[in-house]
Amino acid sequence: MVKKYPAVSGEYQAAVEKCKRKLRGLIAEKKCAPIVLRLAWHSAGTYDWKSKTGGPFGTIRNPVELSHEANNGLDVAVRLLEPIKEQFPILSYADFYQLAGVVAVEVTGGPEIPFHPGRSDKTEPPPEGRLPDAKKGSDHLREVFGHMGLRDKYIVALSGGHTLGRCHKERSGFEGQWTFNPLIFDNSYFKALLGGEKESLIQLPTDKALLEDPIFRPLVEKYAADEDAFFQDYAEAHLKLSELGFAEAE
């Protein structure tokens, strides 16, 4: 689908660029790229293409949405980012959170992801249950991402974002990190998956599903062997995720 991006003022665009610089500094200083990326993902990933509800429109700061089980711990990210948001009242929260996700990938060495401003804030949080459940398998992944309108390639590429961060038992019920350097964005998630289970690293049921599925696994192997291919597909997938329900041409 061809996107039709809304026009924003010069003042708004200048605020985006200045905010991006502030976000780079904060994320580098606090080493908070993983949780900031998770906030952006979980904000966008609630989109349902059939009902045209949910999505990257700032509702995740609503206490109701933050209380959803899949969002455990994201109140930390909201509070961490708020002092910067207060400096840019002109920006919508919808744009701000997605911009922060783009910067989180960039600051940690990942691909450059295009950012188009103009999202409007919405107030109604989506129903609970639209985000992936790490305890389930490939059928569940396809169902959840299918509601977003995202296909297999994007499921695997976005899974590679777990090269950043770790699981916390008090938030997800799991404990551990996926890669040996959880603050560097690269293709090591896929290499670790293919390398088999190690005591020092975690593999969730949704991770293992990528190896067991006959369509997902060749993509895992491709991305493990070719970081450039992963970066290209990840940037495309992240852009799509961050723009679900936004700037859709009539």
Side-chain angles (χ1 to χ4, degrees):
M1 178 182 291
V2 177
K3 292 283 187 177
K4 187 176 181 181
Y5 297 107
V8 298
S9 68
E11 181 186 9
Y12 195 98
Q13 187 62 54
V16 167
E17 296 306 317
K18 187 172 182 179
C19 182
K20 187 184 291 187
R21 294 195 294 272
K22 297 290 185 181
L23 285 166
R24 285 190 190 115
L26 175 81
I27 293 170
E29 177 192 2
K30 301 294 186 182
K31 297 181 171 58
C32 60
I35 198 169
V36 169
L37 181 58
R38 181 171 166 242
L39 179 71
W41 276 7
H42 283 217
S43 173
T46 58
Y47 184 69
D48 178 74
W49 71 270
K50 290 182 179 178
S51 64
K52 309 296 184 187
T53 58
F57 300 104
T59 58
I60 200 163
R61 73 189 189 283
N62 185 308
V64 172
E65 188 170 344
L66 273 179
S67 71
H68 291 176
E69 184 178 357
N71 293 331
N72 285 344
L74 286 180
D75 57 309
V76 174
V78 169
R79 290 196 303 271
L80 194 63
L81 292 173
E82 187 59 26
I84 291 184
K85 176 63 180 75
E86 289 175 352
Q87 298 176 46
F88 301 96
I90 191 174
L91 299 183
S92 67
Y93 276 94
D95 276 346
F96 176 67
Y97 290 147
Q98 294 310 312
L99 180 64
V102 165
V103 173
V105 173
E106 172 198 308
V107 164
T108 50
E112 184 175 335
I113 300 161
F115 178 78
H116 305 104
R119 298 165 187 78
S120 298
D121 285 333
K122 295 183 179 180
T123 57
E124 187 67 27
E128 190 166 6
R130 292 186 177 181
L131 293 168
D133 182 340
K135 299 184 291 294
K136 297 185 178 180
S138 56
D139 289 345
H140 168 72
L141 286 174
R142 286 194 173 93
E143 179 184 2
V144 168
F145 282 91
H147 284 300
M148 303 177 209
L150 298 178
R151 54 194 173 89
D152 287 354
K153 181 178 79 168
Y154 300 134
I155 295 173
V156 180
L158 288 169
S159 296
H162 285 141
T163 186
L164 295 181
R166 59 180 294 119
C167 292
H168 301 267
K169 196 169 186 65
E170 69 276 12
R171 297 175 185 174
S172 65
F174 297 99
E175 184 70 37
Q177 59 198 48
W178 288 273
T179 66
F180 289 112
N181 194 334
L183 292 174
I184 296 294
F185 196 103
D186 57 18
N187 67 338
S188 58
Y189 167 82
F190 300 108
K191 292 180 177 180
L193 267 187
L194 293 172
E197 294 191 61
K198 295 180 176 63
E199 189 175 339
S200 56
L201 300 178
I202 194 170
Q203 288 189 6
L204 305 178
T206 43
D207 301 318
K208 295 174 183 177
L210 301 183
L211 295 178
E212 297 161 359
D213 186 275
I215 298 175
F216 289 156
R217 186 178 179 111
L219 289 164
V220 172
E221 293 170 346
K222 174 184 176 181
Y223 297 150
D226 188 343
E227 187 176 79
D228 289 341
F230 165 51
F231 274 26
Q232 180 177 338
D233 287 356
Y234 178 85
E236 182 182 342
H238 187 128
L239 177 62
K240 284 184 177 293
L241 179 68
S242 73
E243 295 187 349
L244 292 173
F246 167 59
E248 292 186 350
E250 297 295 332

